């Protein structure tokens, strides 16, 4: 499962790098919004499938925070009169997320919880790396750059929370085996 997560993360980073030339602000807006929507859908799946209190709390946080950032992003593009532009990167992210969601839907109980948490770590590593290394440096609009920077801080916290969740779930399953 860890290898699958690593492969997904590498494939996703490759998708973010496929763009070639630096993405434009409309493309960046679409990539960022798409990443938020992907995590909202994953969290909604966790809320539907998980009975674990820690997983459900984490998923609630993901829905709340990603919806809030996406609302700010939509307000900003409306204010700037910019139309988010679909692109190869956003399409690749959706395709990968759809495949992962199908995989997660086939799991139940502790196996689902662990796979969801591991995916959240990998996804946030991918998104945070893209924000830090590509999207923020490529953004030309100061307000967009500020929003992405604020999002990065929030999502770095998500990554740490997901890492703790993976650890806690591993500890719980290890204790259950004894």
């Amino acid at each position: 499962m860890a290898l699958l997560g690593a492969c997904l993360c590498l494939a996703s980073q490759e998708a973010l790098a496929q763009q070639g030339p630096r993405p434009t602000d409309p493309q960046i807006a679409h990539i960022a919004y798409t990443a938020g929507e992907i995590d909202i859908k994953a969290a909604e799946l966790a809320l539907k499938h998980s009975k674990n209190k820690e997983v459900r709390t984490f998923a609630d946080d993901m829905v709340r925070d990603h919806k809030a950032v996406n609302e700010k992003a939509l307000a900003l593009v409306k204010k700037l009169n910019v139309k988010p532009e679909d692109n190869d990167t956003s399409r690749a992210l959706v395709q990968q997320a759809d495949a992962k969601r199908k995989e997660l839907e086939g799991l139940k109980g502790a196996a689902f919880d662990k796979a969801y948490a591991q995916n959240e770590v990998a996804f946030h590593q991918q998104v945070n790396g893209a924000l830090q290394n590509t999207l923020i440096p490529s953004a030309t609009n100061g307000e967009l750059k500020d929003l992405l920077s604020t999002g990065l801080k929030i999502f770095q916290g998500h990554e740490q929370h997901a890492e703790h969740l993976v650890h806690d779930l591993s500890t719980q399953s290890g204790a259950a085996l004894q």
Side-chain angles (χ1 to χ4, degrees), residues 14-24 27 31 87-90 134:
E14 210 172 277
L16 286 166
Q18 281 176 5
Q19 191 73 27
R22 291 194 174 270
T24 64
Q27 292 170 332
I31 292 166
N87 54 77
D88 290 343
T89 301
S90 57
T134 304

Side-chain angles (χ1 to χ4, degrees), residues 8-177:
L8 174 65
C9 188
L10 288 174
S12 299
Q13 286 174 348
E14 210 172 277
L16 286 166
Q18 281 176 5
Q19 191 73 27
R22 291 194 174 270
T24 64
D25 284 358
Q27 292 170 332
I28 291 168
H30 197 274
I31 292 166
Y33 185 84
T34 299
E37 285 297 300
I38 287 168
D39 211 24
I40 291 166
K41 287 179 183 176
E44 289 171 343
L45 180 66
L47 291 170
K48 182 178 172 185
H49 287 279
S50 182
K51 293 178 180 24
N52 182 295
K53 183 182 175 191
E54 289 178 82
V55 171
R56 295 182 63 78
T57 298
F58 177 80
D60 280 332
D61 290 349
M62 295 306 97
V63 170
R64 180 196 65 230
D65 292 352
H66 285 282
K67 280 187 176 182
V69 171
N70 274 2
E71 286 172 12
K72 288 180 182 178
L74 288 175
L76 179 60
V77 297
K78 185 176 180 179
K79 173 186 169 188
L80 299 174
N81 199 24
V82 172
K83 183 178 185 285
E85 187 179 304
D86 196 13
N87 54 77
D88 290 343
T89 301
S90 57
R91 285 188 290 271
L93 289 172
V94 169
Q95 184 179 24
Q96 292 163 1
D98 288 348
K100 186 63 174 179
R101 192 169 35 260
K102 284 179 186 168
E103 176 190 322
L104 289 172
E105 286 173 343
L107 301 174
K108 297 195 183 307
F112 172 87
D113 294 338
K114 187 175 179 182
Y116 168 69
Q118 288 173 333
N119 183 61
E120 285 297 300
V121 170
F123 185 72
H124 281 90
Q125 286 172 341
Q126 169 202 353
V127 169
N128 293 343
L131 281 165
Q132 197 165 12
N133 301 322
T134 304
L135 302 180
I136 294 170
S138 297
T140 58
N141 179 278
E143 289 179 88
L144 177 59
K145 199 176 281 265
D146 287 346
L147 179 62
L148 295 172
S149 296
T150 299
L152 175 60
K153 290 175 188 160
I154 294 167
F155 306 149
Q156 286 170 331
H158 290 173
E159 182 181 336
Q160 289 176 339
H161 190 171
E163 288 169 349
H164 290 297
L165 184 59
V166 167
H167 177 266
D168 291 349
L169 291 171
S170 296
T171 303
Q172 289 171 12
S173 65
L177 295 174

